[in-house]
């Protein structure tokens, strides 16, 4: 699966686990209603100089606790107030149940195992850390309706006018689970050192380096004597610090949030007392759940950490994750009521519903599904003979496929169709005028003719498809897509199997003439730009579209501290990529889980 | 005998070396583990750092030589997918679970097959014989994972008597995976027992015992069964190795945290050091148990001598 990183990592893991984590925790009753259509740049707004966030206690106050037939979710109020995702399919209605005392003390969750298991999250990185989020917190959290940054362990923050100095006030008197230490600046710095450690497998490790400053190499040192102090962080007091960057960066509340999974907070005090080995066996954090037991490959057990946690009081006494690789095993666990929540593949969801269980889904999508058009290395590897570099051919590809038929046949119409890869309607830089490419084979043939393919033999292309966790349909949808492309004249060499060869090729920037189905996480447009649509020199990761024009816009966006300018730059980049048909957008998919309505009475969960 | 054992041990070492070379090469054919284990947005710099740390930047023969050098000293290396946990530690955690499951499955195989084998031999060509054959045929022809899922559905989901999976419900936890794993071997053991029993039942000394009026129960269990046991016993020794190494699918289906489950995870993650360690360990089990069976066979039947 997937198992796989997607493997061990794909974003599925984190989406799944954090979603479940949200389910496992009590709902914050007073969470501030999300404002406006915010999104990516709302964070810039949030981060604007002198903007100070309200104390989290006011925003996400007391736990509902009472759940029960529990109201387990942590995001219900937010979702109630937030803008519904466009065309979001309705979740299956669970049988109505009255709220009351919890019917049981334990919440049991059956999921596919993470790609890599280690209780020191920085050693396995990315989505594998999702299973640790019940136990560990980050500086910031994200509003899953509006993308706004919200306080977590950072109580308030402001950024200097040049965007290089972040003054962060940390929440005081937040104890770690070993209860001999409270969170402070040294814990943050220590954690930061772990995220950017040379052996760390965190996805943002290199990003931290970019922003650290001229002596950034020192940050990756692992000198025990230096733990807890760093030249780029100035300790104002134990609960206040100034974080210095070598370039403007307004998205710190995003990158240092639990949404990105990397920046979890570790206790320096505990580390110094017990050492790394013991920390890895009996980890601690500041979260609402405390580590109890872990059997590798089988289960991870938590219990409620505090009687009154500063952020969320869980509705259950214990939380157990069971790692079950086989889909049918998870179905059996749910049906036998050994699990209250289980990850159920789409093709088995009907059976669960027929048996009296319910399917719940995230408030926002968890996945973005699209087809990459390789070979658009418009600088150093530009090949004019590659059909993929011709915008007419790319438009022809986009009009050749029937997205609605795909949605109906493979996704039970649960996919929210996408107009421009990387831009969701909730993102402020999204343009409502963008249209989902229509299925029009005649237009497609006409475009190919205009591109010079007039003799009936269309461009030769390769089509690759491989399975990824969360969206196993990636290989299945390839079959009709190839058929539609051939119907309008493309000559397709298909390779369907594992995703690994695809990743190897795009990492090597050898995707000339290749199309491939891809599943990625759901992120703000700016983050998508950085990962998918810029070259290695700008710290891109999936090298499929490297255009000097958009790279220039991205560079300006990254260094700008003017909110309006940043928004316009991201809009321009999106418009350009839309006009250029840079990719073949397909749609957004939601995270879905089977639940036992006898235990979970109401649910409203985020996508992370 | 001594010479034979030494020769077999030498052969075993060669076999293990060949197996290790094959596994080492095949694991690397499946693709680059760095691309799987690092987050997608890890930069080329980080990728190179990790590749260097794991020695993947070196020629394959250098990697192999280093691996074998460490292996003979008991150092299996670190599990990449588990954030650098020593593989010996991983194996130490998982091996007892696999041995427990395999032992239970062995008992299931023996417990079902031997009595049925005796029964169908004694009641040859009766309804008992045909029923026994059908039971054995089902076990032999249905894949163990299918049997496992069927058992899970009936006894856990429908009846609710046993847990679906995991190993945290004590003895109840072992029943379904143990039966699913052991049932597959019932047919072969039963048929061997049956044919062996029929052969012994037809011997002169058994006829004499009956003529002398010895009770039938004593004839069958004391005189026939003990003598008929040598052939199935040899086979069951080999089954022990098969059960130890063949529990991969069952462990995955029943979330049984053993070596098979570890192997599947390692393959999924291209965690080469773990794959190599588990496969070589499995091969070692197999070779060792084969050797043990051969030696015990010779002791049990003094007429057998090896040259």
């Amino acid at each position: 699966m997937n198992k796989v990183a997607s493997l061990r990592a794909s974003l599925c893991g984190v989406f799944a686990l954090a979603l479940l984590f949200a389910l496992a925790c009590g709902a914050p009753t007073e969470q501030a209603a999300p404002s406006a259509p915010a999104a990516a740049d709302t964070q810039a707004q949030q981060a604007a100089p002198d903007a100070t966030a309200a104390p989290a206690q006011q925003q996400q106050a007391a736990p509902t606790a009472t759940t029960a037939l529990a109201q387990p979710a942590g995001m219900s109020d937010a979702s109630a107030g937030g803008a519904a995702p466009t065309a979001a399919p309705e979740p299956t209605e669970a049988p109505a149940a009255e709220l009351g005392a919890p019917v049981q003390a334990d919440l049991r969750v059956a999921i596919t195992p993470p790609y890599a298991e280690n209780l020191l999250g920085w050693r396995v990185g990315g989505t594998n850390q999702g299973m640790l989020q019940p136990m560990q917190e980050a500086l910031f959290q994200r509003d899953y309706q509006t993308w706004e940054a919200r306080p977590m362990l950072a109580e308030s923050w402001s950024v200097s006018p040049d965007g290089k100095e972040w003054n962060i006030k940390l929440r005081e008197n937040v104890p770690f689970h070993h209860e001999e230490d409270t969170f402070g600046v040294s814990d943050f710095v220590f954690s930061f050192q772990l995220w950017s450690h040379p052996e760390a497998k965190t996805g943002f490790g290199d990003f931290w380096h970019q922003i650290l400053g001229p002596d950034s190499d020192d940050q990756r040192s692992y000198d025990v004597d230096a733990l807890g102090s760093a030249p780029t962080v100035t300790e104002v007091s134990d609960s206040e610090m100034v974080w210095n960057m070598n370039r403007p960066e307004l998205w710190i509340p995003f990158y240092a949030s639990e949404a990105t999974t990397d920046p979890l907070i570790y206790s320096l005090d505990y580390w110094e007392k017990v050492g790394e080995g013991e920390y890895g066996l009996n980890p601690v954090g500041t979260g609402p759940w405390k580590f109890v037991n872990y059997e590798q490959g089988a289960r991870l057990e938590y219990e409620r950490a505090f009687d009154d946690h500063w952020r969320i009081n869980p509705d259950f006494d214990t939380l157990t994750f069971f790692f079950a690789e086989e889909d049918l095993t998870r179905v059996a666990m749910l049906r036998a009521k050994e699990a209250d929540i289980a990850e159920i593949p789409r093709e088995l969801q009907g059976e669960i519903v027929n048996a009296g269980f319910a399917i719940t889904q995230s408030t926002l999508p968890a996945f973005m599904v699209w087809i990459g058009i390789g070979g658009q290395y418009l600088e150093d590897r530009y090949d004019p003979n590659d059909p993929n570099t011709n915008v007419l051919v790319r438009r022809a590809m986009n009009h050749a496929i029937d997205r609605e038929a795909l949605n109906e046949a493979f996704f039970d119409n649960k996919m929210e169709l996408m107009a421009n890869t990387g831009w969701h309607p909730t993102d402020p830089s999204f343009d409502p005028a963008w249209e989902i490419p229509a299925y029009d084979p005649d237009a497609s043939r006409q475009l190919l003719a205009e591109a010079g393919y007039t003799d009936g033999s269309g461009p030769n292309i390769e089509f690759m498809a491989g399975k990824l966790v969360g969206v196993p349909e990636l290989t299945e949808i390839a079959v009709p897509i190839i058929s539609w492309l051939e119907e309008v004249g493309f000559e397709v060499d298909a390779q369907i199997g594992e995703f690994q060869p695809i990743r190897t090729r795009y990492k090597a920037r050898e995707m000339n003439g290749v199309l491939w189905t891809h599943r990625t996480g759901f992120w703000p447009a700016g983050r998508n730009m950085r990962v998918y649509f810029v070259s290695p020199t700008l710290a891109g990761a999936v090298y499929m579209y490297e255009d000097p024009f958009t790279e220039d816009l991205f560079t300006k966006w990254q260094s700008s501290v003017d909110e309006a300018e940043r928004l316009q730059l991201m809009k321009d980049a999106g418009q350009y990529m839309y006009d250029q048909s840079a990719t073949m957008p397909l749609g957004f998919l939601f995270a879905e889980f089977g639940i036992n309505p006898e235990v979970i009475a109401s649910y409203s969960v985020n996508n992370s | 005998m001594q010479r034979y054992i030494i020769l077999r041990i030498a052969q075993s070492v060669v076999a293990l070396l060949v197996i290790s070379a094959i596994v080492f090469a095949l694991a690397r054919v499946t693709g680059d583990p760095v691309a799987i284990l690092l987050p997608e947005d890890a930069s080329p710099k980080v990728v190179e750092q990790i590749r260097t740390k794991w020695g993947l930047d070196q020629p394959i023969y250098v990697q192999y030589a280093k691996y074998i050098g460490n292996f003979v000293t008991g150092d299996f290396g670190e599990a990449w997918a588990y954030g650098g946990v020593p593989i010996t530690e991983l194996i130490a955690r998982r091996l007892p679970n696999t041995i427990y499951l395999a032992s239970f499955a062995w008992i299931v195989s023996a417990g079902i097959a031997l009595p049925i084998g005796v029964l169908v031999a004694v009641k040859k060509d009766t309804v008992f014989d045909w029923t026994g054959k059908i039971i054995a045929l089902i076990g032999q022809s249905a894949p163990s994972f299918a049997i496992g899922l069927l058992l899970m559905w009936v006894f856990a989901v429908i009846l609710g008597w046993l847990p679906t999976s995991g190993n945290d419900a004590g003895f109840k936890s072992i029943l379904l995976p143990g039966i699913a794993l052991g049932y597959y071997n019932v047919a072969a053991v039963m048929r061997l027992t049956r044919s062996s029993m029929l052969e012994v039942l037809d011997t002169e000394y058994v006829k004499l015992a009956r003529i002398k009026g010895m009770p039938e129960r004593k004839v069958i269990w004391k005189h026939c069964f003990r003598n008929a046991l040598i052939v199935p016993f040899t086979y069951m020794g080999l089954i022990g190795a098969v059960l130890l190494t063949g529990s991969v699918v069952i462990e995955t289906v029943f979330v049984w945290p053993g070596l098979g489950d570890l192997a599947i995870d390692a393959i999924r993650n291209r965690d080469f050091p773990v794959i190599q360690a588990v496969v070589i360990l499995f091969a070692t089990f197999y070779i060792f148990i084969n050797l043990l069976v051969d030696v015990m066979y010779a002791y049990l039947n003094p007429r057998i001598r090896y040259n």
Side-chain angles (χ1 to χ4, degrees):
Chain A
M1 277 178 31
N2 319 222
K3 277 189 91 186
V4 168
S6 126
L7 304 149
R8 229 157 328 288
S10 67
L11 287 164
C12 174
V14 75
F15 285 149
L17 285 164
L19 182 153
L20 295 166
F21 173 48
L23 273 169
C25 296
T29 52
E30 298 293 326
Q31 194 169 43
S35 61
D41 278 78
T42 306
Q43 292 176 347
Q45 188 176 1
Q46 188 85 5
D50 302 327
T52 301
Q57 203 65 32
Q58 291 173 21
Q59 295 198 9
Q60 314 192 304
T64 55
T66 54
T67 55
L69 278 182
Q71 179 183 355
M75 300 297 171
S76 54
D77 291 333
S79 65
T86 309
E90 289 297 317
T92 311
E93 284 296 324
E98 289 183 13
L99 294 181
V103 296
Q104 62 188 45
D106 310 322
L107 181 62
R108 302 153 306 170
V109 182
I111 55 169
T112 51
Y115 275 90
E117 292 176 39
N118 193 310
L119 299 181
L120 294 174
W122 59 278
R123 282 198 167 275
V124 287
T127 57
N128 301 304
Q129 297 175 101
M131 69 179 191
L132 304 174
Q133 285 190 326
M135 172 180 65
Q136 288 174 279
E137 297 180 299
L139 286 189
F140 307 93
Q141 57 188 324
R142 176 177 92 169
D143 184 304
Y144 289 95
Q145 286 291 350
T146 67
W147 293 98
E148 279 186 55
R150 293 199 179 280
M152 207 172 200
L153 290 175
E155 198 169 50
S156 61
W157 56 91
S158 63
V159 63
S160 62
D162 65 359
K164 292 183 177 178
E165 280 186 17
W166 281 83
N167 186 294
I168 300 174
K169 176 85 174 62
L170 304 178
R171 189 171 303 282
E172 293 183 60
N173 302 318
V174 175
F176 283 98
H177 297 144
H178 62 300
E179 298 197 45
E180 294 168 18
D181 181 32
T182 53
F183 170 64
V185 171
S186 60
D187 297 304
F188 164 75
V189 175
F190 167 62
S191 306
F192 179 56
Q193 287 170 323
L194 295 180
W195 315 332
S196 51
H197 183 266
E199 290 181 11
K201 298 196 187 76
T202 46
F204 290 88
D206 215 51
F207 165 78
W208 299 121
H209 253 225
Q210 285 178 20
I211 64 167
L212 283 173
D215 54 353
S216 60
D217 280 349
D218 292 343
Q219 296 297 306
R220 287 178 88 96
S221 73
Y222 205 49
D223 178 0
V224 174
D225 295 335
L227 289 179
S229 66
T232 54
V233 178
T234 308
E235 186 172 339
V236 178
S237 71
D238 189 45
S239 60
E240 187 175 354
M241 64 184 187
V242 178
W243 194 358
N244 302 293
M245 319 280 152
N246 70 343
R247 64 165 172 78
E249 180 51 70
L250 293 189
W251 268 22
I252 284 298
F254 168 69
Y255 287 115
S257 76
E258 38 78 48
T260 66
T261 68
D262 277 354
L264 301 177
I265 296 297
Y266 297 81
S267 164
L268 174 61
D269 171 73
Y270 186 62
W271 180 283
E272 287 180 333
K273 278 180 182 157
V274 303
E276 179 176 354
E278 178 61 21
Y279 205 126
L281 292 174
N282 290 294
V284 300
T286 60
W289 295 98
K290 182 166 71 174
F291 171 81
V292 174
N293 184 41
Y294 167 59
E295 178 145 15
Q296 194 181 63
R299 64 186 175 278
L300 174 61
E301 298 169 38
Y302 294 109
E303 66 181 12
R304 188 204 301 257
F306 304 105
D307 289 338
D308 187 19
H309 186 265
W310 72 269
R311 183 167 58 93
I312 296 172
N313 282 329
D315 297 319
F316 298 88
D317 294 338
T318 66
L319 166 66
T320 304
F321 288 110
F322 294 103
F323 305 132
E325 179 82 40
E326 278 295 313
D327 294 340
L328 286 172
T329 307
R330 293 192 304 278
V331 170
M333 290 176 80
L334 186 64
R335 289 202 55 176
K337 298 184 179 173
E338 292 174 15
D340 310 303
I341 305 172
E343 196 179 337
I344 306 292
R346 269 178 285 279
E347 66 268 22
L348 296 174
Q349 288 179 3
E351 183 191 327
I352 287 297
V353 172
N354 290 338
F357 295 85
I359 299 295
T360 186
Q361 70 175 29
S362 52
T363 51
L364 283 177
F367 301 111
M368 187 167 74
V369 185
W370 47 291
I371 300 172
I373 305 179
Q376 298 180 79
Y377 312 114
L378 302 182
E379 286 183 285
D380 58 331
R381 291 196 182 188
Y382 177 62
D383 176 5
N385 297 318
D386 179 350
N388 288 359
T389 60
N390 186 333
V391 66
L392 295 173
V393 172
R394 297 198 298 269
R395 283 182 191 149
M397 289 168 173
N398 266 294
H399 287 299
I401 63 173
D402 188 344
R403 290 166 174 79
E404 289 182 4
L406 282 180
N407 195 10
E408 186 179 350
F410 295 97
F411 302 106
D412 201 19
N413 281 324
K414 288 182 175 177
M415 185 163 73
E416 179 186 349
L417 296 182
M418 176 164 62
N420 195 10
T421 302
W423 276 263
H424 187 262
T426 55
D427 193 296
S429 59
F430 176 84
D431 186 342
W434 293 338
E435 291 178 355
I436 292 156
Y439 173 53
D440 190 344
D442 292 335
S444 187
R445 289 188 195 95
Q446 178 64 33
L447 284 161
L448 285 181
E450 288 173 29
Y453 298 96
T454 52
D455 59 356
S457 62
N460 290 302
I461 54 168
E462 282 182 69
F463 197 104
M464 300 178 78
K467 280 188 190 293
L468 280 175
V469 174
V471 190
E473 296 90 348
L474 284 182
T475 50
E476 294 159 25
I477 61 173
V479 177
I481 290 172
I482 290 167
S483 168
W484 283 320
L485 289 168
E486 287 178 334
E487 204 174 291
V488 299
F490 286 93
E491 293 188 5
V492 183
D493 175 15
Q495 298 172 45
I496 299 176
E498 279 201 86
F499 195 79
Q500 170 67 15
I502 301 173
R503 183 170 288 168
T504 303
R505 278 183 72 171
Y506 68 59
K507 285 284 186 189
R509 301 171 77 214
E510 291 171 352
M511 280 303 211
N512 291 85
V514 179
L515 304 187
W516 77 97
T517 50
H518 205 124
R519 180 278 287 132
T520 55
F522 182 77
W523 301 101
R527 196 270 185 184
N528 291 330
M529 279 290 293
R530 182 179 87 78
V531 175
Y532 306 113
F533 306 132
V534 297
S535 58
T537 50
L538 290 174
V542 180
Y543 314 123
M544 56 142 296
Y545 185 78
E546 300 170 20
D547 186 317
F549 181 75
T550 47
E551 292 201 350
D552 182 50
L553 293 175
F554 178 75
T555 307
K556 286 177 181 163
W557 173 83
Q558 198 165 238
S559 57
S560 172
V561 291
D562 182 287
E563 180 202 334
E565 183 188 38
R566 280 167 63 88
L567 182 58
Q568 191 56 49
L569 286 164
M570 198 48 63
K571 277 184 175 177
D572 291 347
Q575 187 63 51
Y576 182 78
M577 292 188 63
Y578 176 79
D579 293 339
Q580 290 291 313
S581 290
T583 67
M584 296 169 70
L586 294 179
F588 298 99
L589 283 171
F590 295 76
E592 295 176 303
F593 286 86
I595 62 169
N596 179 359
E598 291 174 10
V599 179
I600 313 292
S602 73
Y603 44 80
S604 178
V605 295
N606 64 44
N607 68 327
S608 171
Chain B
M1 188 69 180
Q2 216 170 20
R3 188 164 165 266
Y4 171 78
I5 293 173
I6 292 167
L7 186 67
R8 285 295 308 271
I9 290 172
Q11 285 173 343
S12 303
V13 172
V14 173
L16 282 174
L17 272 174
V18 172
I19 289 166
S20 71
I22 292 171
V23 173
F24 195 87
L26 282 183
R28 277 150 182 80
V29 169
T30 61
D32 184 358
V34 179
I36 288 284
L37 290 170
L38 287 185
E40 183 157 83
D41 39 6
S43 71
K45 188 176 154 193
V46 172
V47 168
E48 279 317 304
Q49 278 176 343
I50 296 293
R51 191 169 272 127
T52 304
K53 176 178 161 51
W54 290 345
L56 293 169
D57 55 339
Q58 296 176 325
I60 191 164
Y61 59 88
V62 175
Q63 293 180 43
Y64 180 67
K66 277 189 179 174
Y67 177 74
I68 290 297
N70 291 334
F71 198 92
V72 294
T73 61
D75 178 8
F76 295 175
E78 293 178 352
W80 298 340
Y82 291 93
V85 174
I87 293 171
T88 43
E89 194 181 310
L90 281 181
I91 288 175
R93 271 187 228 161
R94 306 271 192 137
L95 183 58
N97 291 332
T98 294
I99 291 175
Y100 178 38
L101 177 61
S103 306
F104 186 79
W106 192 90
I107 292 168
V108 168
S109 292
I112 296 175
L114 293 179
I116 292 181
V118 172
L119 182 70
V120 297
V122 174
K123 307 280 184 185
K124 189 172 173 248
D125 294 332
T126 65
V127 67
F128 293 101
D129 193 10
W130 288 106
T131 307
K133 282 177 181 171
I134 289 168
I135 290 170
L137 186 69
I138 292 170
Q140 190 79 45
S141 52
S144 55
F145 75 88
I147 295 284
L149 287 170
L150 192 67
L151 291 173
M152 185 190 291
W153 210 250
V154 173
F155 292 99
V157 175
I158 296 174
L159 299 174
W161 293 349
L162 296 169
T164 58
S165 55
N167 66 339
D168 53 344
F171 183 67
K172 280 184 172 181
S173 298
I174 191 84
L175 288 173
L176 292 182
I179 292 169
L181 185 61
Y183 187 42
Y184 179 75
N185 295 297
V186 165
V189 178
M190 189 212 81
R191 290 188 74 83
L192 277 175
T193 309
R194 179 180 181 273
S195 59
S196 192
M197 276 292 289
L198 287 174
E199 197 178 314
V200 177
L201 283 169
D202 202 34
T203 56
E204 295 300 323
Y205 73 87
V206 171
K207 287 176 187 166
L208 180 64
R210 281 176 170 158
I211 290 167
K212 286 172 73 176
M214 187 178 286
E216 185 67 8
R217 190 164 53 86
K218 203 169 180 181
V219 171
I220 290 169
W221 292 108
K222 187 173 178 186
H223 296 284
C224 297
F225 182 64
R226 282 178 65 175
N227 285 302
L229 203 56
I230 290 178
V231 175
F233 180 82
T234 309
Y235 185 72
M236 290 199 66
L238 298 176
I239 284 177
V242 171
L243 292 173
L244 265 177
T245 60
S247 57
V248 172
V249 176
I250 287 297
E251 285 187 5
T252 305
V253 168
F254 286 98
V255 196
W256 188 264
L259 283 181
D261 188 52
L262 180 67
I264 289 287
D265 279 348
I267 291 165
R268 197 161 50 105
N269 294 318
R270 290 178 175 76
D271 195 337
F272 297 164
V274 175
I275 298 171
Q276 288 154 193
V278 172
V279 172
I280 293 172
L281 198 65
F282 279 171
T284 308
F285 285 154
Y286 208 91
I287 288 169
F288 175 74
I289 290 175
N290 263 294
L291 181 65
L292 198 68
V293 167
D294 282 351
V295 173
M296 287 182 70
Y297 193 59
Y299 275 108
L300 280 173
N301 187 350
R303 289 174 297 177
I304 297 169
R305 286 289 177 264
Y306 296 95
N307 295 314

